[in-house]
Amino acid sequence: MVKKNTCVFISGQGTNLKNLISCSRENNFPIKISLVIYNNRKANGVLYAKKFNIPYVFINTNIKNYENKVLLNLKKYNISFICLAGFMKIISNKLIKNYPNKIINIHPSLLPKFKGLNTFSRMIANNEKKAGCTVHYVNKKLDGGNRILQKIFFINSNDNESILKKKTQKLEHRAFPEAIIKVFRNI
Ligand code: GRF
């Protein structure tokens, strides 16, 4: 199997990155993590790239035309697929146009509910019964692209934000690899 060269974009802890790296080391997983892009110097997730000898590039996404540097690096590493795993920057049209239907994101809610930030506090305030995560394609609308896969759990009455986050992340670590397999099965 020829694995697709994939770039993972991160801004934080990188637990999803870590999980994807470990999946991608399996023979029959469809992607190879060939590059990590991060936009936060304090992103701990970069340590996983270092540990597994994966090239990593810091990009300051606050500067004008930062996408040019992103695109140059994607080209350099022959990247054909992109996973956003906790990347705290809205992906611009310039990148979407260059990678149509090739960028996917993981979001900690059951989209279309709770797009954007602070999902867990809003769920609690809204007295939600269910929570979960969604893997979806990235398009021009924030958290609005076609959904690939969702995983759901029922919220207990004593679940606070940090418990919801833990439970969601546990599901994310199953959802992201499954979604990637689903994407490549359909191509
Ligand atoms: C995840 O909860 C994901 O849903 C959201 O950002 C978080 C990233 O977590 N988009 P990590 O950096 O992979 O640990």
Side-chain angles (χ1 to χ4, degrees):
M1 168 194 264
V2 181
K3 293 179 177 236
K4 299 279 177 195
N5 284 328
T6 297
C7 179
V8 182
F9 286 40
I10 62 163
S11 302
Q13 286 305 310
T15 64
N16 281 286
L17 168 65
K18 180 186 178 203
N19 180 53
L20 290 181
I21 292 173
S22 110
C23 294
S24 68
R25 289 158 71 86
E26 301 288 328
N27 277 339
N28 53 0
F29 197 66
I31 64 167
K32 173 182 178 209
I33 313 293
S34 307
L35 179 64
V36 171
I37 283 181
Y38 65 111
N39 67 345
N40 168 12
R41 295 248 183 233
K42 292 184 182 149
N44 278 329
V46 176
L47 295 176
Y48 300 118
K50 291 183 184 168
K51 185 172 171 192
F52 292 97
N53 285 321
I54 297 168
Y56 52 91
V57 179
F58 171 78
I59 306 251
N60 180 352
T61 50
N62 290 323
I63 59 171
K64 209 178 159 204
N65 293 330
Y66 75 90
E67 296 97 335
N68 294 341
K69 191 174 170 192
V70 173
L71 288 169
L72 271 178
N73 278 285
L74 296 177
K75 204 169 172 197
K76 178 174 169 192
Y77 291 96
N78 205 11
I79 300 298
S80 59
F81 192 66
I82 295 171
C83 295
L84 307 181
F87 188 60
M88 302 304 282
K89 175 85 183 175
I90 293 172
I91 295 294
S92 65
N93 281 342
K94 205 170 187 175
L95 292 179
I96 294 171
K97 266 194 218 149
N98 276 274
Y99 284 85
N101 285 319
K102 298 281 183 278
I103 310 177
I104 67 172
N105 178 46
I106 188 149
H107 184 77
S109 80
L110 297 171
L111 291 173
K113 281 187 157 185
F114 305 105
K115 295 177 179 178
L117 298 175
N118 306 317
T119 50
F120 304 121
S121 58
R122 288 189 284 142
M123 278 175 207
I124 290 170
N126 221 34
N127 214 359
E128 288 296 307
K129 300 282 171 277
K130 286 184 282 184
C133 61
T134 306
V135 183
H136 64 93
Y137 286 101
V138 173
N139 67 8
K140 283 186 206 165
K141 292 181 191 157
L142 177 67
D143 298 326
N146 283 346
R147 296 192 281 282
I148 301 162
L149 188 143
Q150 286 189 316
K151 291 211 179 279
I152 299 174
F153 65 92
F154 287 93
I155 299 177
N156 290 332
S157 53
N158 56 350
D159 283 353
N160 57 26
E161 278 182 50
S162 98
I163 294 176
L164 285 183
K165 183 175 174 186
K166 266 194 195 140
K167 288 183 175 175
T168 303
Q169 286 216 316
K170 207 171 165 195
L171 277 190
E172 286 184 347
H173 298 160
R174 286 174 40 213
F176 220 163
E178 274 183 42
I180 290 167
I181 289 169
K182 197 170 166 191
V183 164
F184 288 100
R185 200 182 281 147
N186 291 339
I187 282 177

